[in-house]
Amino acid sequence: MPALAEDERVPRKASKPSIKNEFAAFKTNRIVEVASHLFYERGYSSCTLDHVAERLGVTKPFLYSYFKNKEAILAAICEVGISESLSVLERTLAGEHADHRALLAEVVRQVGRIVIDRQEYVVVYQREMKHLSAKDHERILRLRHSFDHQIAELIREGVEAGEFREDTDSFVAVWIGGLISWIPTWYSPQGQKSAADVIDQLVDAAMRLAGAE
């Protein structure tokens, strides 16, 4: 009986940090979500931590327990779109596909969906990245470069396999990344085109750029 009780205590002890971490992550994500909406609505410079705290129904010291300042919240917001895009890119690349054309189309489709779903975050990044510290800006830029590099590698492999036009330069990965990241400038949930229509057009444009018509 004592041995059984000891075994039962192990998962309970192990679960406590996990639950605590999950709760902290939930609160952190909630702060980022609300701040992103406010920065999108009001602009970063016009929005204060008091505004964020008021919208959340918490005190400003509560925010400081998760972020050292407003700029740190901005950095977290700016990182959301690119980190999630990079994550879905790497998952898609690791999967099985018929060929490089199908793989590129699926990558663009999946990442385009992330940008549409995270539209406010992407707009805040594009509009407010000038307020990031040099360190945060460089860190986020490295993530973007990693994204472009992996797309470029996919295109290079597709050219070698004879699936993309022979003269296609892998630098078009930067143009494809630009097409995806600028979706918020010409797509609106209230617009005439649906998200599915926009993504279909995005895939078609990316395939043409890659020489895979």
Side-chain angles (χ1 to χ4, degrees):
M1 187 69 175
L4 179 61
E6 183 178 346
D7 289 343
E8 290 175 344
R9 283 197 298 271
V10 173
R12 285 201 297 270
K13 287 181 179 179
S15 67
K16 285 182 180 178
S18 175
I19 292 172
K20 182 178 181 180
N21 290 342
E22 287 178 10
F23 190 50
F26 171 79
K27 289 188 284 188
T28 300
N29 291 339
R30 182 63 180 148
I31 292 170
V32 170
E33 179 185 0
V34 168
S36 176
H37 184 66
L38 288 172
F39 293 173
Y40 177 84
E41 242 181 15
R42 297 169 177 255
Y44 175 77
S45 298
S46 300
C47 185
T48 67
L49 286 183
D50 288 316
H51 291 134
V52 177
E54 181 182 0
R55 181 68 62 91
L56 282 164
V58 299
T59 62
K60 194 155 67 170
F62 174 86
L63 300 180
Y64 284 127
S65 65
Y66 291 92
F67 293 96
K68 63 180 180 180
N69 51 34
K70 190 174 73 163
E71 184 185 289
I73 298 177
L74 175 63
I77 292 169
C78 291
E79 194 171 344
V80 167
I82 184 58
S83 62
E84 291 187 358
S85 296
L86 189 56
S87 178
V88 76
L89 166 66
E90 291 173 347
R91 284 200 307 271
T92 305
L93 291 176
E96 294 185 6
H97 292 82
D99 52 34
H100 293 87
R101 294 181 181 182
L103 184 53
L104 178 60
E106 185 63 14
V107 163
V108 173
R109 190 173 299 280
Q110 293 293 337
V111 176
R113 183 76 254 180
I114 292 289
V115 173
I116 286 176
D117 290 345
R118 296 296 197 177
Q119 188 160 336
E120 286 189 359
Y121 292 76
V122 175
V123 170
V124 169
Y125 168 62
Q126 293 172 343
R127 194 173 63 195
E128 311 292 358
M129 60 181 174
K130 60 183 175 290
H131 297 292
L132 291 172
S133 68
K135 183 178 179 181
D136 284 331
H137 187 274
E138 182 181 349
R139 175 173 52 81
I140 294 170
L141 195 60
R142 280 199 303 269
L143 295 176
R144 178 59 189 266
H145 285 166
S146 176
F147 181 91
D148 290 341
H149 173 75
Q150 292 183 68
I151 295 290
E153 185 66 13
L154 168 58
I155 291 171
R156 185 190 63 77
E157 291 175 358
V159 170
E160 290 180 355
E163 297 171 26
F164 300 152
R165 199 174 55 242
E166 188 177 348
D167 62 350
T168 300
D169 192 317
S170 59
F171 184 76
V172 302
V174 175
W175 295 106
I176 291 173
L179 276 177
I180 297 171
S181 63
W182 285 99
I183 287 176
T185 65
W186 45 269
Y187 165 74
S188 169
Q190 292 78 39
Q192 295 181 347
K193 291 185 180 296
S194 68
D197 290 337
V198 168
I199 290 176
D200 284 343
Q201 290 183 339
L202 179 67
V203 171
D204 289 343
M207 300 302 280
R208 287 196 298 273
L209 281 170
E213 305 95 324

